[in-house]
Amino acid sequence: TGAVGAALGNMQNACWTQVVLEQSLEMEAVPLGIGCLPGDSMIQVNRFGHRVVNEKAVYNERSQVHFNWDIARAEYTNLVLFMIYDQRTAEEYAGRYPIPGEPTGEDYVIIGETLEELVDAIQARLESIHEDTAGVELDEGFLDNLRSTVGQYNEFAECGVDRQFHRGEAAIEVLFHGPELNDYPNPRMHPLSDKGPYYCIILGGGALETKGGPVVNSRAEILNTSGEPIPGLYGAGNCVASAAGQGYWAAGGMIGPALTFGYLAAISATEDLELPDHGKPEQMASLRRR
């Protein structure tokens, strides 16, 4: 497209999903993005030990927290996040990706009998993948902040209101995350246990599909950098700049625009053909009826 002067758009966006970091480091293609984070006695924290997101938010929106740039620190402070949960979640949600069933099994699950042991194990794991994470490490205040974060989260779970990120308030969060497995006021929140063992899975930001590419108009014609159609060139699907922009219209939400713009491209291409006048109307009418 560059050779013919096509304009590119929406290149900064994708259909985002979280992934298990260590799994993605081992595989050329990650087998499954994390659409729904399982567990109610579960939180996500950054390398400072702070919650930074509603853990039950829809994956496209939730995953974008990984890309927040901290101008004061000149770093992506949420480049990796730590999903921390207790024995209750490990048992109640076993087998729901990414929490494996018993035995714990998967190498990416980090375990500690206490929060202190868990933090030491997380730091050791980060050191082992140091080159792959651009040197991400836990802040020296991580353990103290984690204790404070867990305490605050537990208070929210007790009263049923997440005053930080409004977890469990949206209907889609209730729908997406399966049966209600606790009797607390908010079924998507349960206090973390004050006793171990505790578990951690390191998460990163990933993408299901692209949303950028050549810019098209309402006829599915690809435009040049001056905004004019390039003769005979049309586009549809994930290879062009998405009509959805930053948005994501739920699972399979890219199929509709692909079909629509594919149809528009077919209409436009047919209209632009130099056909005999006596044949063109009949062919167009037939195509539109289909």
Side-chain angles (χ1 to χ4, degrees):
T1 56
V4 294
L8 299 179
N10 209 39
M11 298 296 286
Q12 75 277 23
N13 289 315
C15 299
W16 304 112
T17 186
Q18 288 184 300
V19 295
V20 174
L21 177 65
E22 291 177 87
Q23 197 176 62
S24 67
L25 294 177
E26 295 175 357
M27 304 178 181
E28 292 185 1
V30 179
L32 185 65
I34 306 171
C36 302
L37 285 173
D40 46 18
S41 51
M42 171 278 296
I43 58 174
Q44 282 192 65
V45 298
N46 65 9
R47 74 179 194 87
F48 298 98
H50 300 304
R51 285 181 72 210
V52 293
V53 71
N54 173 355
E55 295 88 351
K56 299 298 183 180
V58 174
Y59 47 95
N60 183 67
E61 279 63 48
R62 183 183 74 237
S63 302
Q64 294 179 57
V65 74
H66 287 278
F67 314 130
N68 287 354
W69 176 254
D70 187 324
I71 59 173
R73 297 180 180 276
E75 67 173 76
Y76 292 99
T77 52
N78 306 330
L79 186 63
V80 299
L81 294 179
F82 306 92
M83 174 179 162
I84 294 175
Y85 56 100
D86 60 12
Q87 185 64 29
R88 177 186 184 281
T89 282
E91 293 176 355
E92 293 285 353
Y93 294 86
R96 301 188 187 187
Y97 196 80
I99 297 176
E102 294 294 340
T104 304
E106 297 288 356
D107 291 340
Y108 59 74
V109 179
I110 305 168
I111 306 173
E113 290 301 318
T114 64
L115 285 179
E116 293 86 346
E117 287 187 14
L118 182 69
V119 171
D120 288 342
I122 294 172
Q123 185 59 44
R125 184 65 60 85
L126 288 174
E127 291 173 1
S128 72
I129 56 175
H130 188 267
E131 294 183 359
D132 296 311
T133 63
V136 171
E137 60 183 18
L138 300 182
D139 182 73
E140 61 182 11
F142 181 88
L143 177 58
D144 289 339
N145 291 338
L146 178 61
R147 288 194 182 107
S148 177
T149 296
V150 170
Q152 183 183 62
Y153 172 81
N154 285 355
E155 290 177 5
F156 293 162
E158 292 280 356
C159 71
V161 179
D162 179 2
R163 296 190 179 93
Q164 271 191 298
F165 300 108
H166 306 282
R167 173 166 153 177
E169 293 182 13
I172 194 169
E173 295 173 24
V174 178
L175 174 66
F176 263 35
H177 289 86
E180 300 177 7
L181 300 179
N182 73 60
D183 296 325
Y184 281 84
N186 186 331
R188 299 305 169 216
M189 300 179 70
H190 187 290
L192 273 79
S193 174
D194 58 1
K195 296 180 181 179
Y198 299 100
Y199 303 85
C200 174
I201 298 173
I202 305 176
L203 304 178
L208 293 168
E209 51 199 10
T210 63
K211 290 174 66 178
V215 176
V216 298
N217 62 14
S218 60
R219 297 184 75 240
E221 297 171 303
I222 291 178
L223 307 180
N224 63 24
T225 53
S226 298
E228 299 296 327
I230 298 174
L233 195 58
Y234 310 89
N238 291 350
C239 63
V240 301
S242 173
Q246 183 274 342
Y248 180 70
W249 302 329
M254 304 309 291
I255 297 174
L259 291 172
T260 299
F261 279 86
Y263 175 79
L264 292 172
I267 294 293
S268 299
T270 304
E271 290 178 342
D272 293 342
L273 289 174
E274 295 182 2
L275 297 176
D277 290 341
H278 66 275
K280 188 172 180 179
E282 290 79 3
Q283 292 186 21
M284 286 301 302
S286 174
L287 181 59
R288 288 197 174 95
R289 282 197 298 272
R290 296 175 189 174

